[in-house]
Amino acid sequence: MESRHNTSNSSALFALPPIQGGGNATESLLSYLVRLARAHQIDARRLVRYSVWPALPLDGAGLAISFYREDARTVNGIGRYAHAFTQALERLTSVQGLEGLTFQAWKGVIPEIGAGFLAKEVRWCPTCLAEQRHQRVDSHFPLVWSLDAYQVCTRHHRPLQHLCPWCGKRQQLIPHYPDQARCTHCCGYLAPASSMQTQETIQETDLRRAHSLESMIATPEDKIMPTQPQLMAILQTAAERWTEGEKKKLSRILGLGDRAISGWANKQQKPAFPQLLQIADRLDMTLHQLFTQSLPDRAPSSSSPDQIKTRPRPAAQLSKATLESLLRQQLETSNSAEPVSRILKRIGVTRSYAKYWFPELLAQLTYKHQLSRQQATAERQIEDVERVARVFRNIADGGSYPSIRQMSQALRPYRLSLQREPLREEYNKLRESIRNTELSRP
């Protein structure tokens, strides 16, 4: 499982060999960091704070608690923390090639800031962890587990887990105890012995997608570094082969919308990671094959340019003048103040289309709805205060003192509580009036 790596004779930290091999065999850089702490028998966060963080090539960046809660997950990604931690750990351990424990090889085609790439929580395959323990190897988390779209383990055909089987809590990105196989809250083992026998049914589509994601993590010999221009060249070839050069039709074939590919080409933008993954899925190729193999001669069989039927855009169904007339009619209707979203849904246009042409009308409709809600809230509050007064008098007329407990019981069926300030003020006022009446009696 261990690939070739270079070490020098001296280093500040142990020259711990990384676990590599491509696919789901390669561990993540965070996993390597925790194993390094275990090798030194220290708290993983102490290793980060006192050894790794001071060595990071970052300008004026102090270690904040938010790093452990959120930013630590990007150490496995393509951004500045992935680059900085790779450099620091290579310098501290004298082990080279640690960028292979991250997705930095794909930074040329994946945007650094974007949704749907890295998972926001720690996930694992219990059977994989149980096997590691059974084989007496260091507990480690494969890099592919940190991808948001990676949902199932391809070795054991079971979904990844994200909650401790003992305490039901999520795991910290960088734990204190230097063993990722232990819960960061109760220290229970995340893979009970029963994990070895568990069998679950998963979808074939989930398996294919998981294999596609694993292909991103190649061995050092097969590593690729795709770029945005390379992706555009692939899509241009596909357009010329299948749609006579029309990128709009190709976008539809790939399920990306009408202007996705043209937008990437014109603005030199990178597609969001879920879009890149969808392209490979529709072409029935892995992400690695998308950049290393030739495209098929025929378009995806699920749809062809002639077979594609898309819903007409709302703008084509409704003219600008008609839309303006309907919006003004809704604005002038005195007995109606619906939410803008409901109005546009009934009319049959999107908010972006209506806002582009008539932003002032939409603002007025929004303001009208807000006023209506405020008025309704005020009216309900008056009714609730009157309800408190009636309940108070009913209890008093029955010969009982309207205590807070009795009032709360009587108000419960109406879903009212004296914890609300206006209702509490009304109750205090009524209670004071009773006291004054009793004091005024001879």
Side-chain angles (χ1 to χ4, degrees), residues 254-257 260 264 270-281 287:
L254 300 177
L256 301 171
W264 301 335
K270 302 172 185 176
F273 183 70
Q275 293 175 315
L276 179 64
L277 186 56
Q278 180 172 329
I279 292 173
D281 285 348
L287 286 167

Side-chain angles (χ1 to χ4, degrees), residues 150-388:
Y150 192 82
Q151 302 292 331
V152 298
C153 174
T154 57
R155 292 184 61 233
H156 302 108
H157 291 201
R158 60 175 303 173
L160 300 188
Q161 306 297 311
H162 67 282
L163 298 177
C164 171
W166 308 106
C167 67
K169 294 183 178 179
R170 290 175 168 81
Q171 303 304 298
Q172 298 169 348
L173 294 166
I174 298 180
H176 288 282
Y177 187 74
D179 187 353
Q180 283 190 298
R182 293 284 182 180
C183 175
T184 54
H185 303 280
C186 69
C187 210
Y189 191 56
L190 297 179
S194 59
S195 301
M196 298 288 287
Q197 288 79 36
T198 303
Q199 297 290 333
E200 299 187 44
T201 303
I202 60 176
Q203 299 295 324
E204 185 64 28
T205 55
D206 293 334
L207 264 182
R208 287 201 303 268
R209 173 159 289 194
H211 281 297
S212 180
L213 294 168
E214 289 176 355
S215 73
M216 298 175 65
I217 308 167
T219 59
E221 296 79 7
D222 297 328
K223 186 174 70 173
I224 61 173
M225 299 189 70
T227 63
Q228 194 267 356
Q230 185 180 357
L231 176 62
M232 290 301 102
I234 293 171
L235 294 176
Q236 179 64 37
T237 300
E240 294 172 354
R241 184 175 298 178
W242 302 331
T243 63
E244 298 180 350
E246 294 190 29
K247 295 185 177 66
K248 186 175 182 179
K249 286 186 178 180
L250 179 62
S251 290
R252 292 178 182 174
I253 288 177
L254 300 177
L256 301 171
D258 290 348
R259 297 177 175 81
I261 297 177
S262 297
W264 301 335
N266 296 337
K267 300 178 182 179
Q268 296 184 346
Q269 292 179 338
K270 302 172 185 176
F273 183 70
Q275 293 175 315
L276 179 64
L277 186 56
Q278 180 172 329
I279 292 173
D281 285 348
R282 295 298 292 268
L283 298 178
D284 197 22
M285 306 175 77
T286 67
L287 286 167
H288 187 275
Q289 291 171 342
L290 179 64
F291 291 94
T292 57
Q293 295 186 11
S294 300
L295 292 172
D297 293 330
R298 299 180 61 182
S301 57
S302 59
S303 59
S304 65
D306 297 331
Q307 296 171 335
I308 295 173
K309 295 182 179 180
T310 58
R311 291 184 299 177
R313 297 173 57 201
Q317 294 181 335
L318 200 65
S319 67
K320 179 181 172 183
T322 303
L323 175 59
E324 181 179 13
S325 175
L326 291 174
L327 293 178
R328 290 194 180 280
Q329 180 181 349
Q330 189 68 31
L331 187 62
E332 294 167 0
T333 303
S334 58
N335 59 350
S336 176
E338 294 181 276
V340 172
S341 58
R342 189 182 303 168
I343 295 172
L344 297 179
K345 183 177 181 180
R346 188 175 64 253
I347 293 175
V349 297
T350 62
R351 179 184 286 268
S352 59
Y353 176 70
K355 189 175 182 180
Y356 179 82
W357 290 111
F358 308 109
E360 294 183 359
L361 283 177
L362 256 63
Q364 293 174 23
L365 285 169
T366 301
Y367 181 66
K368 181 182 178 182
H369 175 62
Q370 291 173 348
L371 287 181
S372 176
R373 290 188 60 184
Q374 293 172 3
Q375 182 179 354
T377 301
E379 291 175 354
R380 275 199 307 271
Q381 183 168 301
I382 293 174
E383 293 177 359
D384 294 343
V385 169
E386 293 176 349
R387 174 77 65 182
V388 170

Side-chain angles (χ1 to χ4, degrees), residues 41-84:
Q41 298 184 356
I42 62 172
D43 183 315
R45 294 195 178 190
R46 288 180 63 86
L47 179 68
V48 172
R49 178 177 293 275
Y50 297 110
S51 297
V52 182
W53 196 269
L56 295 182
L58 298 174
D59 296 331
L63 178 58
I65 191 65
S66 61
F67 170 78
Y68 295 116
R69 289 198 304 263
E70 301 171 6
D71 297 336
R73 67 190 180 101
T74 64
V75 170
N76 293 335
I78 59 178
R80 66 173 189 144
Y81 281 130
H83 176 71

